[in-house]
Each structure stands twice: as structure tokens, then as C-alpha cells.
Amino acid sequence: MFQYRVLSAGVTADTLSCKVQDISAPNEATILALLDRLGIDLGFARHAVIFQEKDQAAHFYRLVKGTVQLSKLRINGRRQIVRLVLPGDLFGFEADELRRLTAESLDEAVVAQYPTEVLDQIGNGSPQLHRAVMRFLRLQLFSTQEHAVMLGRQTALERVAAFLHLLAKRKNIKNGGVLMLPMRRRDFADYLGLSVETVSRMLTKLKDAGLIAVSKNHGKFVIRDIDSLEDVMLDAKAYGLS
Amino acid sequence: MFQYRVLSAGVTADTLSCKVQDISAPNEATILALLDRLGIDLGFARHAVIFQEKDQAAHFYRLVKGTVQLSKLRINGRRQIVRLVLPGDLFGFEADELRRLTAESLDEAVVAQYPTEVLDQIGNGSPQLHRAVMRFLRLQLFSTQEHAVMLGRQTALERVAAFLHLLAKRKNIKNGGVLMLPMRRRDFADYLGLSVETVSRMLTKLKDAGLIAVSKNHGKFVIRDIDSLEDVMLDAKAYGLS
DNA sequence: CGTAAGGTTGATAGGATTCAATGTACGTGG
DNA sequence: CCACGTACATTGAATCCTATCAACCTTACG
């Protein structure tokens, strides 16, 4: 459908190794070294489905460029996004045989695809690689737990602040910097467990308080005061906003 | 404090291998075979702290008997339980060097303790073990994601129903069977992201609808209609309860 | 039997959703 | 190039759900 092959010329060892620098955690160079040889690069247009719940899971992926979200759809139509995948992240090997999540691109994305067997090969290979993958899974688990705490115990304003804070930190954005976020309000809301309207209201609240600026042009936020953003995220009431 | 050593006589290979049967997923016999030789059994009284946030993480654990909860405490005092550990489950190796969670026993619990180095040894050993641990982590990740969906997108009644349903399934309880749950309402609430009062109200709602019976004796629930419990969990409104 | 800890129930308030209307950017075709 | 339509965002008003506060009840236990 939207899927197309990328000329492998565009994305190769060079591009990858430069990407490796600005990645938060998961990617040990050791994994990449192995993966570089085995992957196929795929390109996806905006809002394309990379895989879906119930699909057979024969591959896992590494995001090379763009943004991808992993979500779950409930029978009554409600959706929860459980993870935001940023460049350099691995994704798509959380399932057994069948996918339990849906992966969609938020913008134009390039994704490296690997057969799941590679994971087993990693195990057979050096224990270093083994430890790297385990570490990645543990970090993944930890951040999902943090997400759960947010969904269970934070107010709407705290969630929005926490989300912006998280991304600003991960992308290493300082005060005055611009946070590019290709998500629509719908995705925003589904990640935070809120309605679009509430997200909108909380964003204007943060804007009015001078902590962020929202660009007319969708998907751009200016981080004005990241420390206050953190204060709000920890306890909106104590900060004086609610 | 509450912690005391258990005479290893009480809990040995026999007890373990019989436990292995009724466990959902994590425990491949292969892991256990290795672990049996390396662990130390510890006993904990009710509501004892096994480890705490910020503690140094030198060990991981397998629950032999009892129930353990893993939680996170926010600065404003709000708590979210992120996982309920049942007999046979591994826990306590999600952290790097410092604990990111607090582990507490809910009832009298026996826990096998292993040095974290064992994990690395597993990697050096057979790839079978390696795959088993990875599988465990992936399943863990999956169930945390499910938990996140619940916290983000389900109503109070749906959460309570889902929780009872989950445990009934895991402990293989049929209609008429008794679900033993040593949790207090406070823990119940903190797992579901609700207040104690709301949990209480939802339980009476389920009781009035005839789906469960709540024993006077704390911590005992009779599952009356597990299928309806599932219906409520999926969509309380559609089922006619709200 | 009396006290303490935990659970239930009621009344009220508050926060988030829902429904509805308006606003704004963007792309298409006249 | 402007008009118009579509998609998405914002704002307002009303409703609903859950939390909070408070009282009362139950169970466990000395």
C-alpha cells in the first residue's frame, strides 16, 4: 500500500553510524555491527501501517529515520499508544508469534527490517550481544512501567507536561529549543490516555503559563522553561497550576 | 527487619517442581534447573519490604510461595503498583544498578534470591537459557503494556472486572471457585489507578450483579460468572453495567 | 468486650469527557 | 489567485465519572 522499498544507497553504514550518536539508550554499537549486515531498509509514508495486531511476526525492526508509534486498539474503539519509537530504537520483537501491537509511522519513516531468527543467532554468538539485548528489554520494560505510573496516577496537566519533558530530554532540547513532534492531537491523546480536547486545553494552559510555545505550524513546540515543565509534571497543584 | 531465613528443608526441589506446573508463562524448566543450585531461600512476613527504590541491585528473585507487589511511589505520595508477582515468577532484575521499584510481600512469602551475575552466566551458557530469559522479558513487557492500556483506557468497573478476570484465569479458577487475594483495598486501588472507595463500590456492583461474591473474610472472592466478568471488562456499558 | 485497622456507604466537589460550535491551515479546482 | 472544502485544533457548556471528605460498619485481636 504505502510501503515501498528504499534504494539501499540512501541509508547505509554511514547514515547509521551517525545516527547512533544521538540515541538515548538501547543501541550498543555491538548490536548494530551485527545488524548492519542482515537488514533490509523499508520506507513508509505518513500514517502507514508497518504491522498490525494479529499479524504473523516474522521480523523485528530498527527505526532509522522518522517516528513510529505502537498502539493497542480495544473492541470499543478506544486506543492506547504504548510506545513512541524514535530513531535508533529497536521495536517489533515483543510478540511471540502473533503481533500484539500495531505499529504505524507518524511521518515519513525509514525502517530496517530483520528476520526474527537473527535474535536467536545473537544468543548463539557473543555474550556481549546477549547482554545488550537483555539490557534493551529491561530498559524498555522500565519505561513502560513509568508510562503506567503516568496513566494511573497523574493528572491531565501533569501528563502533558511529562510527555513534553520526556521528549525534550531525550532529544536534548534546551530552553528556547524547538521540539519537532509529528503527532496529531489524536495520537497525543491516545498516548496520554486523555481526550483530544483535554490535551488541547492543557497545552494552552502550559502556553499561557509561559512554559512552552505552540507553533501554528502543526507539530512544533518551543520549550520555554524545561525546569518548570518538570515541576508541573511532578505535581501540578504544588506548582500552582491545575 | 521482618526478614528471616527459611530453613531450606521447607522449600526444595520437590516444592518447586510442583509449583512449575501451574504457572502461566515465564518459567521454562531450563532456567529453574540452573537456578535451583544457585539460590538462597528467604522468608518474609506480611507487608515486608524485599527491596526499595534507590537500593543497590545486587540480586534478582524468584517467588516460591506467597504474593509480592512491585510499586513506584511518586513525590506527592501517590503510589502505582506496576506488577503483581505470583509464585514461580521471576522479579527484581529490571533495574540497572539502582532499583527503580519497591518490592513488598503481601502475605507470608518465600523468595529465592540469586546474585545478578547469574544472569550473565546464563548468557554464557546454552542459547536455550538465553532464549528463555528473553522470552520471559518479552512476556513481562507485554503484560505491562496491557496494564498500561487498562490504566489509560478503561473505566473503574472495567478495571476491577479485568483484574479479577486476569487472576482467575492465571490461577485457573472456574465458576464457583475461590480466588484468594491477600491484597488490601489500598493495594487493589493502587494497582488499578483508583481510590479505595471506588474499588469498594465497583466490587459491590459486581457482587450485586451476581458475577462475584465477596467473603467477609478479607482476601477471598468467589468467581460466580467468569464469562460475564470478561464481558464487563471489555465494555461495561455495552454489558449494561456502569 | 473494647479498641484499632480496614471496608463500605453517602454526600459533595472536581476534573475530564462529551457534544457542539468556532477557528485555522492547507490543498484543490474554478 | 482566490474560493471553497476538508482536516485538524481550539474553545465553550453541560454531563458524567471518580476522588474526596465524612460517617458508619465490620473484622480481628488483645
Side-chain angles (χ1 to χ4, degrees), chain A:
Chain A
M1 339 113 90
F2 295 110
Q3 182 177 337
Y4 60 93
R5 287 253 156 133
V6 161
L7 298 174
S8 61
V11 186
T12 43
D14 274 0
T15 330
L16 290 178
S17 43
C18 94
K19 283 285 167 214
V20 177
Q21 302 309 325
D22 54 14
I23 291 157
S24 62
N27 288 281
E28 330 296 90
T30 44
I31 297 191
L32 283 181
L34 183 77
L35 294 184
D36 273 354
R37 274 176 268 127
L38 299 164
I40 294 168
D41 286 337
L42 301 174
F44 291 90
R46 284 187 83 207
H47 305 133
V49 173
I50 298 171
F51 58 77
Q52 241 174 336
E53 277 181 83
K54 315 271 180 188
D55 276 1
Q56 207 71 26
H59 305 277
F60 70 95
Y61 305 87
R62 186 169 43 84
L63 184 60
V64 175
K65 182 171 135 349
T67 318
V68 165
Q69 64 183 11
L70 306 182
S71 63
K72 254 177 167 307
L73 195 63
R74 276 163 49 69
I75 350 75
N76 57 18
R78 303 201 137 204
R79 189 179 69 150
Q80 177 68 48
I81 295 173
V82 295
R83 189 180 157 204
L84 207 60
V85 182
L86 298 186
D89 285 354
L90 298 172
F91 67 101
F93 59 95
E94 39 263 315
D96 262 300
E97 341 67 30
L98 294 183
R99 297 281 177 209
R100 308 187 186 218
L101 299 169
T102 297
E104 293 162 273
S105 57
L106 288 171
D107 44 9
E108 300 240 323
V110 176
V111 149
Q113 184 190 55
Y114 312 97
T116 45
E117 296 86 67
V118 173
L119 271 186
D120 296 336
Q121 291 171 25
I122 290 177
N124 298 339
S126 84
Q128 256 186 318
L129 288 173
H130 164 246
R131 245 172 277 146
V133 173
M134 295 246 300
R135 195 174 119 80
F136 165 75
L137 280 172
R138 277 183 285 140
L139 286 169
Q140 205 52 60
L141 186 57
F142 170 66
S143 89
T144 307
Q145 285 164 344
E146 292 264 276
H147 192 190
V149 175
M150 187 198 81
L151 294 172
R153 290 300 185 206
Q154 286 187 254
T155 65
L157 186 59
E158 287 166 356
R159 295 184 204 191
V160 173
F163 187 45
L164 293 174
H165 179 84
L166 176 81
L167 288 166
K169 282 288 177 192
R170 245 201 100 169
K171 300 199 171 193
N172 201 29
I173 293 165
K174 313 287 181 198
N175 284 341
V178 177
L179 174 61
M180 296 291 289
L181 249 191
M183 300 169 89
R184 292 172 293 195
R185 292 290 178 276
R186 161 91 275 129
D187 302 319
F188 229 96
D190 286 344
Y191 183 84
L192 299 173
L194 300 170
S195 68
V196 278
E197 294 92 333
T198 301
V199 170
S200 190
R201 280 184 246 274
M202 299 305 137
L203 282 172
T204 48
K205 217 171 245 186
L206 290 175
K207 190 187 67 184
D208 292 349
L211 308 195
I212 61 169
V214 182
S215 153
K216 306 271 171 195
N217 193 2
H218 292 166
K220 281 166 86 173
F221 299 88
V222 182
I223 306 297
R224 281 269 148 73
D225 185 347
I226 195 168
D227 293 329
S228 297
L229 220 43
E230 184 170 7
D231 291 342
V232 172
M233 146 188 127
L234 293 176
D235 196 331
K237 199 168 242 171
Y239 181 82
L241 274 181
S242 52

Side-chain angles (χ1 to χ4, degrees), chain B residues 26-89:
Chain B
N27 288 279
E28 329 296 89
T30 44
I31 297 191
L32 283 181
L34 183 77
L35 293 185
D36 273 354
R37 275 176 269 125
L38 300 164
I40 295 169
D41 285 338
L42 301 174
F44 291 90
R46 285 188 82 208
H47 306 134
V49 173
I50 299 171
F51 58 77
Q52 242 174 338
E53 276 180 84
K54 314 271 180 190
D55 276 1
Q56 208 71 26
H59 305 276
F60 70 96
Y61 305 87
R62 186 169 44 84
L63 183 60
V64 174
K65 182 170 135 349
T67 318
V68 165
Q69 66 183 10
L70 306 182
S71 64
K72 255 176 167 307
L73 195 64
R74 275 162 51 68
I75 352 76
N76 56 17
R78 304 203 137 201
R79 188 179 69 151
Q80 177 69 48
I81 295 173
V82 296
R83 190 180 156 202
L84 207 61
V85 182
L86 297 186
D89 285 353

